[in-house]
Amino acid sequence: MNHVLAIDQGTSATKCVLVDAQGRIVAKASAPLGEHYPAPGWVEQDPLAIRDSVCRAIGLCLDQAPQAQVCAVGLSTQRESALLWERAGHSPVSPLLSWQDQRTVDLRDRLHRSQGDALVRERSGLPLDPMFSALKILWLLEQDPSLAARAARGELLAGTVDAWLIGDLGGEATIEVGNASRTQLLDVRTGTWDTDLLAYFSIPSALMPTVVPSLHRRPTAGRWHPRLAQAPVWAVMADSHAALYAHGVRAPGDVKATMGTGSSVMGLAASADVRSTEVCQTIAWDEGDGHRMALEGNIRSAGATLKWAAELFGIDVAQAAAEASAASCDGLWLVPGFSGLGAPYWDARAVGLISGLTHSTGRAQLLAAALDSMAHQVSDVLEAMDRSATPVRRLLLDGGPSANPVLRKRIAAYIERPVLHCTDPELSALGVAHMAGLGAGLWDRGTLAQLPRAQILTDAPASAADHVRAAREGWALSVARARLQPSPRTA
């Protein structure tokens, strides 16, 4: 038994890869997923459809390698999305509220008036924001008093996608510590549920699964596929954390940015005592010997911005990216506040804005500005990390949009540091496969460190040119306009 099966359960699809003892992907498959939009700003998914997509992706992947024997399973998942389900029987009693869902903005404002923001930030390491799980769970309980009563009696469970999926395998109800740190209910320093946070969000402690390390022997995955009947789930990680692990980052200084629908910019923290109101403190992972702290900035719209612009002009995303790469912004800035702005602003009421329109502005400039917005947002987060006393040495890029060399060049110019593009496919799945193989004894930490990682280097320019400084200043002014606040760069 010398293969690891890794599942990456994402927003738009569940992907599955089979990794051999040399760390190579020998088979992969994908099962698409849909989203539902019952009202403006609401984003839901069907928990049963998520589970079914996992089973489909596993089957399609294993069919490509009929002789492969699997010794371990790893699971990486989308984060912050939350649902409620029955403790007995494991039936969902709510939809999955997506991390993108904004229905809790008013609820956030109500709690904000109670002046608990400092407690939430201090204990959870996260700002009070609709993206995180606690507000979603509270919203679900408030919508149906019968659910709140059942929750108080211990009949229900609440959690993130990993807890829901692992619960499907039987055994104790558990949640992985990195995913738990995204709920705003966990004390990130102790790695345990915080009674004050639970009380603040009016969530019964009986509702929450047991927190376990990322590297932890869980039930076998035979319920998902017969060929996994002898393969325990050895590792569970949040998707962004798994990508950082796959990059081989084990010390502060290197920061990765996963470019997808949104973007997660994450690096290990120099100290558990680092404080910042601009970026999040979160738990990266726990290999069974204590959790590692990380700093992270969450960007809500990255690849989604270019997709929006492509749909606006009735072209596909590949054509939009090609046109954007060949064009100049010509003094145009696009702030993608479609659902507010994430780090370092954390402004759920920020709006989308196009600034610098002239008679000569056309499709090419708008597409270029959409691409440029990704580079500006990553740069904003890295500047915040520098201010947090955890300086960034270089940036590691992964995800679909990172394949664009023009985007990499712009980021390198804006951050004035080297950028390494990782071309390994399915990085989140690969990261959790590495950890699962570690648990099964397929390899050790030394072997993992020596695995080859395909990377393309983009050097930073020798000095920031005037046009780079002008672009950054124009971006800062546009963000301030989107937030209806004075610009921090021009004040």
Side-chain angles (χ1 to χ4, degrees):
M1 300 178 74
N2 57 357
H3 288 77
V4 175
L5 185 86
I7 304 150
D8 178 23
Q9 200 300 297
T11 306
S12 59
T14 297
K15 300 175 183 178
C16 188
V17 302
L18 191 65
V19 180
D20 67 12
Q22 287 72 49
R24 300 172 301 193
I25 294 176
V26 296
K28 62 181 179 180
S30 178
L33 267 173
E35 296 173 301
H36 309 291
Y37 310 96
W42 293 29
V43 187
E44 298 179 355
Q45 291 187 288
D46 179 353
L48 296 177
I50 289 174
R51 184 192 63 192
D52 291 346
S53 74
V54 168
C55 296
R56 289 199 308 275
I58 291 172
L60 291 169
C61 185
L62 289 178
D63 285 348
Q64 299 172 38
Q67 303 304 315
Q69 295 182 315
V70 179
C71 64
V73 174
L75 173 67
S76 77
T77 60
Q78 57 173 302
R79 307 179 303 168
E80 295 106 16
S81 303
L83 74 154
L84 302 176
W85 65 93
E86 292 182 337
R87 185 180 289 272
H90 199 68
S91 298
V93 296
S94 79
L96 180 83
L97 303 193
S98 169
W99 60 273
Q100 305 166 85
D101 191 277
Q102 290 289 297
R103 74 186 67 186
T104 59
V105 170
D106 290 339
L107 184 55
R108 188 281 314 270
D109 290 347
R110 189 184 86 197
L111 289 182
H112 173 73
R113 289 192 292 271
S114 70
Q115 300 182 340
D117 300 49
L119 168 68
V120 174
R121 170 67 79 169
E122 168 65 24
R123 301 285 179 85
S124 75
L126 307 171
L128 185 61
D129 189 88
M131 184 173 72
F132 303 110
S133 312
L135 287 171
K136 303 179 194 302
I137 296 169
L138 175 57
W139 187 91
L140 289 168
L141 294 176
E142 288 194 344
Q143 296 310 298
D144 188 341
S146 68
L147 291 180
R150 295 187 67 192
R153 293 195 298 267
E155 297 175 6
L156 301 180
L157 289 165
T160 45
V161 173
D162 67 300
W164 156 251
L165 288 174
I166 293 299
D168 186 55
L169 300 177
E172 181 185 13
T174 63
I175 183 172
E176 184 266 334
V177 66
N179 276 292
S181 74
R182 308 301 293 178
T183 64
Q184 291 199 314
L185 300 171
L186 195 85
D187 185 323
V188 290
R189 288 172 184 78
T190 65
T192 59
W193 299 124
D194 186 271
T195 55
D196 292 332
L197 290 173
L198 288 165
Y200 179 72
F201 287 104
S202 302
I203 294 175
S205 59
L207 196 60
M208 305 311 297
T210 300
V211 181
V212 297
S214 315
L215 183 59
H216 177 80
R217 187 183 177 113
R218 297 166 177 85
T220 62
R223 290 190 183 182
W224 292 343
H225 196 283
R227 284 175 59 186
L228 304 179
Q230 304 301 315
V233 178
W234 262 109
V236 174
M237 304 179 80
D239 52 8
S240 185
H241 309 212
L244 184 68
Y245 196 84
H247 275 294
V249 175
R250 302 294 185 269
D254 283 350
V255 170
K256 69 90 195 173
T258 299
M259 309 295 286
T261 301
S263 180
S264 161
V265 185
M266 177 185 285
L268 294 178
S271 167
D273 294 325
V274 171
R275 300 288 196 277
S276 172
T277 59
E278 298 178 298
V279 292
C280 299
Q281 288 177 292
T282 195
I283 294 176
W285 54 72
D286 183 347
E287 294 177 294
D289 53 1
H291 60 261
R292 297 295 306 273
M293 293 291 294
L295 295 179
E296 181 182 21
N298 302 101
I299 296 168
R300 287 185 171 141
S301 184
T305 308
L306 195 61
K307 180 182 177 183
W308 168 83
E311 291 173 349
L312 184 68
F313 292 112
I315 59 178
D316 62 37
V317 175
Q319 181 180 347
E323 291 187 27
S325 301
S328 169
C329 298
D330 292 340
L332 192 74
W333 290 272
L334 191 164
V335 181
F338 302 111
S339 56
L341 291 173
Y345 305 103
W346 298 110
D347 189 343
R349 295 196 179 277
V351 298
L353 179 140
I354 298 171
S355 177
L357 285 168
T358 69
H359 288 296
S360 63
T361 300
R363 174 165 122 175
Q365 287 75 29
L366 184 59
L367 292 173
L371 185 71
D372 207 38
S373 71
M374 297 187 228
H376 280 301
Q377 290 179 99
V378 170
S379 302
D380 288 349
V381 173
L382 260 65
E383 289 178 4
M385 286 186 171
D386 286 337
R387 292 190 290 269
S388 75
T390 304
V392 179
R393 181 171 66 95
R394 61 179 182 172
L395 181 68
L396 311 174
L397 279 182
D398 65 86
S402 68
N404 188 314
V406 173
L407 176 61
R408 298 199 302 268
K409 185 177 179 180
R410 290 186 190 177
I411 293 175
Y414 291 165
I415 68 174
E416 300 181 72
R417 273 160 280 200
V419 171
L420 279 174
H421 171 224
C422 181
T423 59
D424 282 327
E426 317 304 349
L427 208 61
S428 292
L430 201 56
V432 81
H434 288 171
M435 186 178 286
L438 191 65
L442 192 60
W443 41 60
D444 56 26
R445 288 180 174 86
T447 304
L448 285 181
Q450 297 304 314
L451 290 179
R453 291 175 172 84
Q455 296 174 325
I456 299 172
L457 174 66
T458 301
D459 279 319
S463 60
D466 289 343
H467 76 275
V468 170
R469 285 189 287 269
R472 293 293 290 146
E473 289 169 0
W475 168 259
L477 179 59
S478 298
V479 169
R481 287 169 172 164
R483 303 180 66 206
L484 299 177
Q485 296 179 13
S487 168
R489 288 179 179 266
T490 59

mmCIF file of all heavy atoms in Angstrom, residues 207-227:
data_model
loop_
_atom_site.group_PDB
_atom_site.id
_atom_site.type_symbol
_atom_site.label_atom_id
_atom_site.label_comp_id
_atom_site.label_asym_id
_atom_site.label_seq_id
_atom_site.Cartn_x
_atom_site.Cartn_y
_atom_site.Cartn_z
ATOM 1 N N LEU A 207 -22.933 22.344 20.755
ATOM 2 C CA LEU A 207 -23.091 22.328 19.298
ATOM 3 C C LEU A 207 -21.786 22.044 18.566
ATOM 4 O O LEU A 207 -21.798 21.645 17.394
ATOM 5 C CB LEU A 207 -23.647 23.690 18.855
ATOM 6 C CG LEU A 207 -24.248 23.852 17.466
ATOM 7 C CD1 LEU A 207 -25.430 22.914 17.258
ATOM 8 C CD2 LEU A 207 -24.679 25.294 17.241
ATOM 9 N N MET A 208 -20.656 22.242 19.238
ATOM 10 C CA MET A 208 -19.372 22.230 18.542
ATOM 11 C C MET A 208 -18.668 20.873 18.630
ATOM 12 O O MET A 208 -18.587 20.271 19.702
ATOM 13 C CB MET A 208 -18.470 23.317 19.110
ATOM 14 C CG MET A 208 -19.098 24.710 19.091
ATOM 15 S SD MET A 208 -19.827 25.174 17.488
ATOM 16 C CE MET A 208 -18.359 25.161 16.437
ATOM 17 N N PRO A 209 -18.105 20.383 17.511
ATOM 18 C CA PRO A 209 -17.345 19.121 17.525
ATOM 19 C C PRO A 209 -16.045 19.259 18.320
ATOM 20 O O PRO A 209 -15.594 20.369 18.626
ATOM 21 C CB PRO A 209 -17.060 18.875 16.035
ATOM 22 C CG PRO A 209 -17.950 19.802 15.283
ATOM 23 C CD PRO A 209 -18.191 20.971 16.173
ATOM 24 N N THR A 210 -15.421 18.137 18.606
ATOM 25 C CA THR A 210 -14.138 18.117 19.306
ATOM 26 C C THR A 210 -13.021 18.566 18.366
ATOM 27 O O THR A 210 -12.935 18.098 17.224
ATOM 28 C CB THR A 210 -13.835 16.698 19.820
ATOM 29 O OG1 THR A 210 -14.877 16.300 20.716
ATOM 30 C CG2 THR A 210 -12.498 16.650 20.538
ATOM 31 N N VAL A 211 -12.159 19.460 18.844
ATOM 32 C CA VAL A 211 -11.042 19.962 18.039
ATOM 33 C C VAL A 211 -9.896 18.947 18.090
ATOM 34 O O VAL A 211 -9.484 18.512 19.173
ATOM 35 C CB VAL A 211 -10.560 21.327 18.558
ATOM 36 C CG1 VAL A 211 -9.406 21.846 17.705
ATOM 37 C CG2 VAL A 211 -11.715 22.333 18.560
ATOM 38 N N VAL A 212 -9.377 18.568 16.911
ATOM 39 C CA VAL A 212 -8.262 17.615 16.837
ATOM 40 C C VAL A 212 -7.171 18.177 15.930
ATOM 41 O O VAL A 212 -7.420 19.072 15.118
ATOM 42 C CB VAL A 212 -8.738 16.236 16.304
ATOM 43 C CG1 VAL A 212 -9.749 15.614 17.249
ATOM 44 C CG2 VAL A 212 -9.316 16.365 14.893
ATOM 45 N N PRO A 213 -5.921 17.667 16.045
ATOM 46 C CA PRO A 213 -4.834 18.138 15.183
ATOM 47 C C PRO A 213 -5.092 17.847 13.706
ATOM 48 O O PRO A 213 -5.925 16.998 13.353
ATOM 49 C CB PRO A 213 -3.615 17.361 15.698
ATOM 50 C CG PRO A 213 -3.972 16.937 17.084
ATOM 51 C CD PRO A 213 -5.453 16.700 17.059
ATOM 52 N N SER A 214 -4.334 18.520 12.868
ATOM 53 C CA SER A 214 -4.422 18.272 11.423
ATOM 54 C C SER A 214 -3.970 16.853 11.111
ATOM 55 O O SER A 214 -4.607 16.136 10.314
ATOM 56 C CB SER A 214 -3.551 19.277 10.661
ATOM 57 O OG SER A 214 -3.728 20.578 11.153
ATOM 58 N N LEU A 215 -2.858 16.442 11.708
ATOM 59 C CA LEU A 215 -2.337 15.086 11.546
ATOM 60 C C LEU A 215 -2.896 14.236 12.688
ATOM 61 O O LEU A 215 -2.467 14.345 13.838
ATOM 62 C CB LEU A 215 -0.814 15.107 11.579
ATOM 63 C CG LEU A 215 -0.105 13.759 11.353
ATOM 64 C CD1 LEU A 215 -0.486 13.168 10.003
ATOM 65 C CD2 LEU A 215 1.400 13.925 11.464
ATOM 66 N N HIS A 216 -3.884 13.426 12.370
ATOM 67 C CA HIS A 216 -4.636 12.692 13.385
ATOM 68 C C HIS A 216 -5.338 11.535 12.696
ATOM 69 O O HIS A 216 -5.984 11.727 11.665
ATOM 70 C CB HIS A 216 -5.647 13.641 14.046
ATOM 71 C CG HIS A 216 -6.530 13.006 15.067
ATOM 72 N ND1 HIS A 216 -6.127 12.761 16.365
ATOM 73 C CD2 HIS A 216 -7.825 12.583 14.986
ATOM 74 C CE1 HIS A 216 -7.123 12.235 17.042
ATOM 75 N NE2 HIS A 216 -8.167 12.106 16.233
ATOM 76 N N ARG A 217 -5.222 10.345 13.265
ATOM 77 C CA ARG A 217 -5.866 9.183 12.631
ATOM 78 C C ARG A 217 -7.377 9.248 12.847
ATOM 79 O O ARG A 217 -7.873 9.196 13.962
ATOM 80 C CB ARG A 217 -5.308 7.883 13.193
ATOM 81 C CG ARG A 217 -5.829 6.647 12.447
ATOM 82 C CD ARG A 217 -5.316 5.368 13.074
ATOM 83 N NE ARG A 217 -5.882 4.209 12.397
ATOM 84 C CZ ARG A 217 -5.201 3.348 11.660
ATOM 85 N NH1 ARG A 217 -3.892 3.500 11.527
ATOM 86 N NH2 ARG A 217 -5.797 2.313 11.094
ATOM 87 N N ARG A 218 -8.106 9.340 11.743
ATOM 88 C CA ARG A 218 -9.558 9.381 11.751
ATOM 89 C C ARG A 218 -10.100 8.073 11.164
ATOM 90 O O ARG A 218 -9.321 7.209 10.775
ATOM 91 C CB ARG A 218 -10.031 10.600 10.947
ATOM 92 C CG ARG A 218 -9.572 11.938 11.576
ATOM 93 C CD ARG A 218 -9.740 13.082 10.597
ATOM 94 N NE ARG A 218 -9.377 14.374 11.163
ATOM 95 C CZ ARG A 218 -8.132 14.877 11.211
ATOM 96 N NH1 ARG A 218 -7.111 14.166 10.706
ATOM 97 N NH2 ARG A 218 -7.905 16.063 11.742
ATOM 98 N N PRO A 219 -11.413 7.905 11.080
ATOM 99 C CA PRO A 219 -11.950 6.651 10.514
ATOM 100 C C PRO A 219 -11.472 6.414 9.086
ATOM 101 O O PRO A 219 -11.022 7.325 8.387
ATOM 102 C CB PRO A 219 -13.473 6.874 10.557
ATOM 103 C CG PRO A 219 -13.692 7.889 11.625
ATOM 104 C CD PRO A 219 -12.494 8.802 11.561
ATOM 105 N N THR A 220 -11.591 5.182 8.648
ATOM 106 C CA THR A 220 -11.277 4.864 7.256
ATOM 107 C C THR A 220 -12.362 5.450 6.349
ATOM 108 O O THR A 220 -13.471 5.767 6.792
ATOM 109 C CB THR A 220 -11.191 3.349 7.037
ATOM 110 O OG1 THR A 220 -12.470 2.762 7.327
ATOM 111 C CG2 THR A 220 -10.119 2.732 7.936
ATOM 112 N N ALA A 221 -12.020 5.583 5.080
ATOM 113 C CA ALA A 221 -12.906 6.250 4.124
ATOM 114 C C ALA A 221 -13.693 5.263 3.274
ATOM 115 O O ALA A 221 -14.094 5.580 2.151
ATOM 116 C CB ALA A 221 -12.086 7.184 3.231
ATOM 117 N N GLY A 222 -13.942 4.063 3.821
ATOM 118 C CA GLY A 222 -14.675 3.054 3.064
ATOM 119 C C GLY A 222 -16.088 3.452 2.697
ATOM 120 O O GLY A 222 -16.634 2.960 1.703
ATOM 121 N N ARG A 223 -16.703 4.349 3.480
ATOM 122 C CA ARG A 223 -18.055 4.801 3.123
ATOM 123 C C ARG A 223 -18.053 5.653 1.853
ATOM 124 O O ARG A 223 -19.091 5.828 1.221
ATOM 125 C CB ARG A 223 -18.663 5.600 4.274
ATOM 126 C CG ARG A 223 -19.012 4.765 5.496
ATOM 127 C CD ARG A 223 -19.821 5.575 6.498
ATOM 128 N NE ARG A 223 -20.107 4.825 7.697
ATOM 129 C CZ ARG A 223 -20.819 5.277 8.721
ATOM 130 N NH1 ARG A 223 -21.327 6.511 8.676
ATOM 131 N NH2 ARG A 223 -21.041 4.529 9.785
ATOM 132 N N TRP A 224 -16.906 6.202 1.503
ATOM 133 C CA TRP A 224 -16.815 7.014 0.289
ATOM 134 C C TRP A 224 -16.469 6.173 -0.932
ATOM 135 O O TRP A 224 -16.846 6.515 -2.047
ATOM 136 C CB TRP A 224 -15.779 8.128 0.474
ATOM 137 C CG TRP A 224 -16.190 9.164 1.463
ATOM 138 C CD1 TRP A 224 -17.457 9.396 1.933
ATOM 139 C CD2 TRP A 224 -15.350 10.103 2.121
ATOM 140 N NE1 TRP A 224 -17.448 10.432 2.839
ATOM 141 C CE2 TRP A 224 -16.169 10.892 2.976
ATOM 142 C CE3 TRP A 224 -13.981 10.377 2.093
ATOM 143 C CZ2 TRP A 224 -15.662 11.916 3.772
ATOM 144 C CZ3 TRP A 224 -13.472 11.395 2.875
ATOM 145 C CH2 TRP A 224 -14.301 12.158 3.707
ATOM 146 N N HIS A 225 -15.718 5.063 -0.710
ATOM 147 C CA HIS A 225 -15.373 4.164 -1.816
ATOM 148 C C HIS A 225 -14.870 2.846 -1.230
ATOM 149 O O HIS A 225 -14.061 2.863 -0.280
ATOM 150 C CB HIS A 225 -14.289 4.781 -2.713
ATOM 151 C CG HIS A 225 -14.156 4.101 -4.040
ATOM 152 N ND1 HIS A 225 -13.520 2.892 -4.199
ATOM 153 C CD2 HIS A 225 -14.590 4.460 -5.284
ATOM 154 C CE1 HIS A 225 -13.551 2.534 -5.470
ATOM 155 N NE2 HIS A 225 -14.202 3.477 -6.153
ATOM 156 N N PRO A 226 -15.310 1.693 -1.765
ATOM 157 C CA PRO A 226 -14.897 0.408 -1.197
ATOM 158 C C PRO A 226 -13.387 0.198 -1.157
ATOM 159 O O PRO A 226 -12.876 -0.481 -0.243
ATOM 160 C CB PRO A 226 -15.569 -0.613 -2.126
ATOM 161 C CG PRO A 226 -16.718 0.114 -2.743
ATOM 162 C CD PRO A 226 -16.281 1.547 -2.857
ATOM 163 N N ARG A 227 -12.650 0.774 -2.093
ATOM 164 C CA ARG A 227 -11.198 0.578 -2.112
ATOM 165 C C ARG A 227 -10.485 1.353 -0.998
ATOM 166 O O ARG A 227 -9.285 1.191 -0.816
ATOM 167 C CB ARG A 227 -10.621 0.979 -3.477
ATOM 168 C CG ARG A 227 -10.888 -0.058 -4.554
ATOM 169 C CD ARG A 227 -10.431 0.406 -5.914
ATOM 170 N NE ARG A 227 -9.011 0.713 -5.971
ATOM 171 C CZ ARG A 227 -8.401 1.244 -7.021
ATOM 172 N NH1 ARG A 227 -9.125 1.540 -8.113
ATOM 173 N NH2 ARG A 227 -7.107 1.489 -7.011
#
